[in-house]
Amino acid sequence: SAYLTGCRDIGVPEHELFTTADLHEARSLPSVVKNILAIQRMQIQKEAKLMKTPTKTPVKIYTSETQFFCKSCGLTVYPLEVLHAIGETWHKTC
């Protein structure tokens, strides 16, 4: 079926697939659930790989001695209210 072909294409292992009759005839619903969870796992792994892609923007490290100032208002920007854009530091509200 097209569904099972799609599952294979995204990397779902054969042992986590089910036959379509399992679903239509409600024969082996645990295997259907196992398949759905496998699809979810594949998506999470895909997203994790995308997040590990290196970026050209340097990561700003916060320590107790780090202090950033807002480009707009000039006041201190604390980690919970920070927004980094176009190489500058801003308050989220500025």
Side-chain angles (χ1 to χ4, degrees), residues 52-89:
K52 290 181 183 177
T53 304
T55 61
K56 293 181 182 180
T57 307
V59 176
K60 305 228 184 221
I61 308 262
Y62 291 96
T63 66
S64 59
E65 298 167 2
T66 305
Q67 195 170 18
F68 292 102
F69 298 96
C70 178
K71 175 75 173 172
S72 178
C73 69
L75 297 175
T76 301
V77 180
Y78 298 98
L80 290 176
E81 60 185 5
V82 72
L83 173 68
H84 295 289
I86 57 172
E88 300 290 344
T89 302

Side-chain angles (χ1 to χ4, degrees), residues 1-81:
S1 79
Y3 176 80
L4 295 177
T5 301
C7 287
R8 288 183 183 101
D9 289 348
I10 63 169
V12 176
E14 289 292 321
H15 70 275
E16 293 183 315
L17 297 177
F18 63 91
T19 63
T20 51
D22 290 340
L23 178 61
H24 293 294
E25 298 171 12
R27 283 192 295 183
S28 180
L29 292 181
S31 64
V32 174
V33 172
K34 184 177 176 182
N35 175 258
I36 292 169
L37 294 174
I39 293 170
Q40 177 189 27
R41 188 180 68 250
M42 295 294 116
Q43 181 62 30
I44 290 169
Q45 289 173 354
K46 179 181 175 183
E47 290 173 2
K49 286 180 185 176
L50 291 174
M51 292 179 70
K52 290 181 183 177
T53 304
T55 61
K56 293 181 182 180
T57 307
V59 176
K60 305 228 184 221
I61 308 262
Y62 291 96
T63 66
S64 59
E65 298 167 2
T66 305
Q67 195 170 18
F68 292 102
F69 298 96
C70 178
K71 175 75 173 172
S72 178
C73 69
L75 297 175
T76 301
V77 180
Y78 298 98
L80 290 176
E81 60 185 5

